[in-house]
Amino acid sequence: QPSSKQREIPSEELPVREQATYKAALELELWKEMEQEKFLKELELKRDTRMKQITAEWKKKEIEREDEAKRQVLEYNKLKEKMKVALKDLELRENQLLEQERKLV
């Protein structure tokens, strides 16, 4: 005779969504999705941080290049002025020598 207690239903007879293995697989899948989202957010944060570092380094190098270019242009202009002065001095000296030669002749 059947007892007054309900008999326990074996797990394989339960609907799929009520089976322990299904519940465990579902929990695992949800955990996996959360971990993937967390990983992607961390990865994005690391990427953004690195991009900011690279941008800052690039700007610093660009400023250094611009400063060096300005320094070289200033140096070039100084040398150009020195050459102009030296050329005028040479022309003046040449004219003085020519004048002295004329007086000697």
Side-chain angles (χ1 to χ4, degrees):
Q1 287 193 2
S3 78
S4 61
K5 294 183 179 178
Q6 275 190 325
R7 71 176 175 97
E8 199 171 298
I9 302 172
S11 128
E12 58 273 358
E13 292 179 16
L14 289 172
V16 172
R17 290 181 186 251
E18 291 179 19
Q19 293 179 6
T21 53
Y22 176 83
K23 288 181 180 180
L26 181 61
E27 283 180 30
L28 182 62
E29 191 61 33
L30 291 174
W31 174 84
K32 179 182 162 188
E33 286 177 14
M34 288 182 351
E35 289 298 308
Q36 283 178 329
E37 285 179 27
K38 189 166 77 173
F39 173 78
L40 291 174
K41 284 179 184 177
E42 289 173 4
L43 191 63
E44 185 177 354
L45 180 62
K46 287 179 181 179
R47 185 199 66 200
D48 291 346
T49 301
R50 184 64 183 135
M51 286 300 293
K52 286 177 184 175
Q53 287 174 335
I54 291 170
T55 301
E57 289 171 12
W58 184 84
K59 285 180 182 178
K60 181 182 174 188
K61 293 283 184 188
E62 190 63 24
I63 289 170
E64 289 172 0
R65 281 190 290 272
E66 287 174 4
D67 289 347
E68 179 62 19
K70 288 175 186 176
R71 188 191 64 74
Q72 288 180 355
V73 167
L74 287 173
E75 184 66 24
Y76 167 79
N77 287 333
K78 285 179 187 177
L79 291 172
K80 183 177 168 183
E81 288 305 312
K82 280 185 179 181
M83 293 296 289
K84 284 182 183 179
V85 169
L87 182 61
K88 284 184 182 181
D89 287 348
L90 285 173
E91 287 174 350
L92 180 61
R93 178 98 169 110
E94 182 182 26
N95 289 336
Q96 288 172 348
L97 288 173
L98 287 173
E99 186 63 36
Q100 287 176 358
E101 281 179 10
R102 278 189 226 140
K103 287 181 181 179
L104 290 174
V105 180

